[in-house]
Amino acid sequence: MSHVIRLALESEAAALHSLLQKAYEPLLEHNIHFTITRASVEDVRDVIRNETTYVLENDGVLTATLTTRFLWTPAKNHLAPWPFVHWFAVAEHAKGQGFGKEIISYVEETFLRDTLKSPAVYLATAVKHPWLTALYQRRGYEPFHIATNPLGVELVYLRKILNQQAFDAQEQAPLVRSIAELRTLV
């Protein structure tokens, strides 16, 4: 088998929408609704256009995906100063083969930590999701916030520190400075 991880193309919005819908459909039985469960193909195209969506393609077939949203993404609520990952999915036929772990590791390590030098990353999942919180905690994520999304789903937000030294420096530095403080720096 031959596979590659790459950025999604806008022309793949319909195929990506289908992959995401099929992956999230079982959650509807548990009354868990995420934005993707009500998203259109055009919504997926907008996310591909405005955020960073990676896909894992196996033998020419979209097999897994993960999207990263940044603070500069327009019209989005940002809970923390780090990239937010969402819309993680693995095609049903490919579950249990390590593709999910591979795409998450690629985004966390190669893209966010090594390329963008992000000190941390965060995500959200439903509190009552039967297994995702435990999966993310096994991957090094720690809960730091709970909130309810607009669809009425209670979410747990989890963060993962990617670079402890950079994270500690960021935690100690003020994230907002006054104009007077900025003038002393120049």
Side-chain angles (χ1 to χ4, degrees), residues 62-150:
L62 293 183
T63 304
T65 186
L66 183 63
T67 294
T68 305
R69 179 182 304 142
F70 297 97
L71 289 173
W72 55 82
T73 304
K76 299 292 180 184
N77 295 328
H78 300 282
L79 185 66
W82 317 295
F84 176 78
V85 292
H86 66 110
W87 287 9
F88 168 58
V90 177
E92 188 63 37
H93 72 274
K95 289 189 178 193
Q97 297 179 44
F99 294 123
K101 179 180 178 180
E102 187 173 346
I103 196 165
I104 289 174
S105 294
Y106 180 87
V107 170
E108 289 173 350
E109 297 165 11
T110 303
F111 177 54
L112 296 174
R113 184 193 68 203
D114 298 344
T115 303
L116 296 183
K117 311 300 185 205
S118 179
V121 61
Y122 77 110
L123 53 78
T125 193
V127 168
K128 66 180 185 178
H129 191 287
W131 53 269
L132 264 182
T133 300
L135 175 136
Y136 292 131
Q137 287 179 309
R138 285 191 304 274
R139 290 198 48 81
Y141 284 82
E142 305 170 311
F144 72 96
H145 185 72
I146 292 180
T148 302
N149 76 7

Side-chain angles (χ1 to χ4, degrees), residues 43-54:
D43 293 332
V44 172
R45 190 178 332 281
D46 285 344
V47 167
I48 292 169
R49 189 179 302 122
N50 293 308
E51 301 181 24
T52 303
T53 300
Y54 277 96

